[in-house]
Amino acid sequence: QVELVESGGGSVQAGGSLTISCRTTIVTWRLYTMAWFRQAPGKEREGVAAIAPDYTTAYDDSVKGRFTLSRDDGKTTMYLQMNNLKPEDSAMYYCAARNWLTEPPLHPDDYNYWGQGTQVTVSS
């Protein structure tokens, strides 16, 4: 059974930083592409960043230069370091996983497994 558990969300002022984590129970973790998505109230779920097992990354243009995605294979955990946060970054952030793709996709339809989400709120 695949389980994805997010943690680290919270409230921060604009310009601040936050790191969120996704721990997984996937046994063959090293063969999975992982990603972060976010969804604000009334909006569609959008891709934020994704990372393949070979550490190839992809970022949405809105977070390039501010967010950094990494994975610790020993801990089967993925991290999203978010700097210079803006109010428009406020959303529920979801962790997702799928079988390995060399070019990690950022569309939610491309992922099979999802976590329950962690809330990030950025105040102005």
Side-chain angles (χ1 to χ4, degrees):
Q1 182 178 352
V2 174
E3 185 177 17
L4 303 175
V5 180
E6 301 96 335
S7 62
S11 297
V12 64
Q13 289 190 327
S17 299
L18 203 61
T19 298
I20 54 178
S21 304
C22 172
R23 181 180 59 80
T24 175
T25 60
I26 299 174
V27 175
T28 53
W29 151 269
R30 297 174 189 270
L31 301 179
Y32 278 72
T33 289
M34 306 291 295
W36 284 102
F37 289 81
R38 65 186 180 187
Q39 188 168 18
K43 294 188 176 181
E44 294 187 352
R45 190 168 297 190
E46 62 178 6
V48 176
I51 185 166
D54 64 357
Y55 301 97
T56 300
T57 55
Y59 293 92
D60 183 76
D61 287 344
S62 65
V63 305
K64 282 182 180 177
R66 300 189 298 123
F67 290 11
T68 302
L69 183 59
S70 61
R71 58 190 291 163
D72 184 332
D73 289 341
K75 296 181 179 179
T76 63
T77 300
M78 174 178 65
Y79 304 95
L80 185 67
Q81 171 70 42
M82 304 181 288
N83 297 325
N84 191 22
L85 282 161
K86 304 175 181 180
E88 51 264 43
D89 292 320
S90 296
M92 184 71 78
Y93 282 69
Y94 297 92
C95 175
R98 62 151 296 138
N99 290 334
W100 190 339
L101 273 183
T102 301
E103 296 295 328
L106 287 175
H107 195 284
D109 290 349
D110 291 318
Y111 289 83
N112 309 102
Y113 305 105
W114 293 86
Q116 295 300 308
T118 185
Q119 179 68 39
V120 173
T121 303
V122 185
S123 58
S124 58

